[in-house]
Amino acid sequence: MDVKELKQIISRGESPFVDFSKCTTELTDSVFQSVCSFLNKEGGCVVVGVHDFGKIVGVAELFIDNMLKKFANAMEEEFSPVCTIVPDIVDVGGKKLFYISVPKSGEVHRYKNKVYDRMGCEVCDITYSYNLVENLYLRKRNESSENIVCPFLRMSELDEMAFRLMRERIAAHNPSHPWLSLTNEELLHTNGFWRKDPISSKEGFVLAAVLLFGKEETIQNYCPVTYRTDAIYRKISYDKFYQLASTYPESRYDDRDIIFSNLTDAYTRLMKFVHRNLPKRVLNKQAMSVNVRDKLFCEIITNILVHREYTHKYPCRLLIFSDKVVTENGMHTSREENKTFASLDIQRRNPLICKVFQEMGWIDDLGSGKNNILKYAPFYDKSYEIGVEIQNAEKFVFSLSYGNEEGLDDLNLLSSATAAPLYTPSFPTEKTKMEWTYASRLSEACPSIDISYVDKAESILEACIKPLPIQDMMKMVKQSNRTRFRQNIIRPLLEEGLLAMRIPTKPSSPLQKYFTTEKGKTLL
């Protein structure tokens, strides 16, 4: 959060999207109630250390660490469903403030088993106002279509091949994963795909099961017209295409794939489409070799699939031009804001679909997609440009421009021998240097860590902003051998002071959790 921007927010005072709290030494229930109300409404921000009338008092630096720990614990243990939010500590005129940016959630959240909503600038406990709670669930259900209950859906209408693909992907990362021992029906029941509709009281599998595992005819029955993913490649520049739109009609293309199948198959086909029509770029750094194209477009494709509104009239589209990639997907929002990609609020619109993609290794954690796109885009093309646009509060458009030959002058990139490159990468000159990647900075800060474990250590530091037990960390980076995991990743991070234990006097305590230190956060 920029200091100047925060001062402007404070100067405008409280609003339906801004709340102040004068807590200086401890976070009170009112802070978490505000967070819960923003999650259930349209999102917003809570600024801790400011009086209701806008006077900045700050929070006591001595208590900042305890307040951060309490916030992380409350979000994990007292919110249902769990929501991961990381507050910023901002110094305004020598006074520390907590800035908590809260996204709009696709689910109904409870704090200490109570439901909070916003009415104007006020936080309201609506737990026992059954009509208001019912309307809230109805509103969320309409915003996140994955939770729509399909009471007549049967297991025979789902595709066995989709389940098999999911298990193969999971087994490749974690052969002892608990899902592998479950039947298809058990897997759906234990992971929230069977629900009771709070409005109609009907029970059944939810639409997310259809989208992830449904046969093509099943998807068309439950999502007629609205469900389609269209991938188009045109061997022409983006600007030239629209200049010649009258003579170069929409129906003209060089490659196309229209997808009506489930999301597990859709992801695979879209990645193959990218492989056919975009050049491979490989980043070589020390002993590592990273396929930049796959890293970058894996995130772009998963984002358009898992964050889409599936009952919307707009189809999902992946448009590839000779100098630009554009994605479009339908959404619902009450606020149309001009934002940069870096400032976008992070939220999961379809948590059930996200969870399955995460277990298959196609996505990491909340916010990882945006972070990885920003991380790898410069290594696909140094002169990259990322644009986002919300059209008519109904369509989200993402674009990535590339193709400037000079953009590769200071990167050690190799073009695929089999792919037709959009341009020829030039070799690094003496006067230029390769930019430091995050991995190289981590290698320098933690020289005792093996280079092959740097990416996993990076993921651990990012995830442990919120304290995590070792079993969750191992699951996240797909490690099954605890001794090897401790020796190769945890011990080097602890020795360099990048990671710390919540209970340092009892390293083997079953309640032990690890968190990223201030030194680790500085590295991040």
Side-chain angles (χ1 to χ4, degrees), residues 472-488:
D472 288 358
M473 296 156 64
M474 292 175 62
K475 179 180 177 182
M476 184 185 66
V477 295
K478 316 300 181 186
Q479 295 289 295
S480 56
N481 189 310
R482 180 175 294 214
T483 302
R484 193 177 302 160
F485 177 71
R486 286 182 182 276
Q487 181 179 349
N488 294 328

Side-chain angles (χ1 to χ4, degrees), residues 162-333:
F163 285 102
R164 189 178 303 172
L165 172 62
M166 178 198 67
R167 286 189 171 86
E168 288 174 356
R169 288 287 310 177
I170 292 175
H173 292 283
N174 183 4
S176 60
H177 196 287
W179 287 12
L180 300 178
S181 61
L182 300 176
T183 66
N184 295 344
E185 189 167 0
E186 288 172 343
L187 188 148
L188 295 177
H189 276 278
T190 57
N191 287 284
F193 289 89
W194 179 277
R195 291 188 180 180
K196 181 177 181 180
D197 191 318
I199 309 301
S200 65
S201 296
K202 292 182 179 179
E203 289 186 292
F205 291 114
V206 294
L207 187 61
V210 176
L211 298 171
L212 282 164
F213 307 111
K215 297 177 181 178
E216 192 167 315
E217 58 269 25
T218 305
I219 295 174
Q220 293 306 307
N221 287 336
Y222 286 94
C223 298
V225 182
T226 60
Y227 182 87
R228 188 178 91 231
T229 304
D230 202 355
I232 301 175
Y233 170 62
R234 296 186 175 94
K235 200 179 297 183
I236 187 173
S237 72
Y238 177 82
D239 290 336
K240 190 173 182 180
F241 170 74
Y242 284 101
Q243 287 173 3
L244 303 176
S246 58
T247 57
Y248 198 104
E250 182 78 14
S251 59
R252 185 177 173 185
Y253 51 84
D254 297 287
D255 191 8
R256 187 173 191 177
D257 192 3
I258 304 176
I259 302 170
F260 293 99
S261 55
N262 57 59
L263 295 179
T264 50
D265 181 61
Y267 172 87
T268 304
R269 287 170 61 175
L270 288 174
M271 285 300 292
K272 288 180 179 178
F273 188 84
V274 166
H275 290 168
R276 289 200 305 268
N277 297 302
L278 283 171
K280 182 179 180 181
R281 304 294 179 203
V282 179
L283 171 64
N284 295 304
K285 177 63 180 172
Q286 297 175 3
M288 292 189 301
S289 180
V290 179
N291 188 329
V292 177
R293 180 191 62 186
D294 284 4
K295 289 281 190 180
L296 179 60
F297 285 94
C298 169
E299 299 294 353
I300 292 173
I301 288 172
T302 53
N303 281 345
I304 64 175
L305 292 179
V306 304
H307 297 310
R308 175 182 173 187
E309 173 49 55
Y310 287 95
T311 58
H312 205 281
K313 61 184 178 181
Y314 289 111
C316 178
R317 301 211 299 171
L318 170 67
L319 309 175
I320 301 179
F321 300 90
S322 63
D323 63 343
K324 196 171 191 174
V325 173
V326 179
T327 66
E328 301 174 353
N329 57 298
M331 62 179 293
H332 293 303
T333 181

Side-chain angles (χ1 to χ4, degrees), residues 364-375:
D364 293 326
D365 207 346
L366 184 66
S368 64
K370 184 180 82 169
N371 294 337
N372 285 335
I373 289 173
L374 291 171
K375 175 180 175 179

Side-chain angles (χ1 to χ4, degrees), residues 51 203 311 412 414 466 506:
H51 276 289
E203 289 186 292
T311 58
N412 182 19
L414 301 177
K466 177 188 74 173
K506 297 180 180 179

Side-chain angles (χ1 to χ4, degrees), residues 85-100:
I85 298 174
V86 180
D88 286 337
I89 308 298
V90 186
D91 191 319
V92 179
K95 296 179 179 179
K96 304 288 187 182
L97 300 180
F98 263 53
Y99 176 79
I100 306 169

Side-chain angles (χ1 to χ4, degrees), residues 106-126:
E107 299 179 281
V108 176
H109 290 266
R110 293 172 179 263
Y111 170 65
K112 291 186 175 179
N113 209 32
K114 290 189 175 182
V115 182
Y116 295 92
D117 201 356
R118 290 192 76 81
M119 296 182 183
C121 298
E122 299 298 322
V123 177
C124 299
D125 180 355
I126 63 170

Side-chain angles (χ1 to χ4, degrees), residues 118-167:
R118 290 192 76 81
M119 296 182 183
C121 298
E122 299 298 322
V123 177
C124 299
D125 180 355
I126 63 170
T127 308
Y128 302 108
S129 300
Y130 299 111
N131 287 337
L132 295 178
V133 174
E134 183 178 298
N135 289 336
L136 179 57
Y137 273 100
L138 183 61
R139 188 172 78 226
K140 295 293 183 180
R141 187 182 70 173
N142 291 336
E143 291 169 353
S144 183
S145 52
E146 71 162 14
N147 292 319
I148 295 175
V149 174
C150 307
F152 303 108
L153 178 67
R154 299 293 177 262
M155 289 298 299
S156 59
E157 298 178 84
L158 303 181
D159 187 0
E160 178 62 35
M161 288 300 297
F163 285 102
R164 189 178 303 172
L165 172 62
M166 178 198 67
R167 286 189 171 86

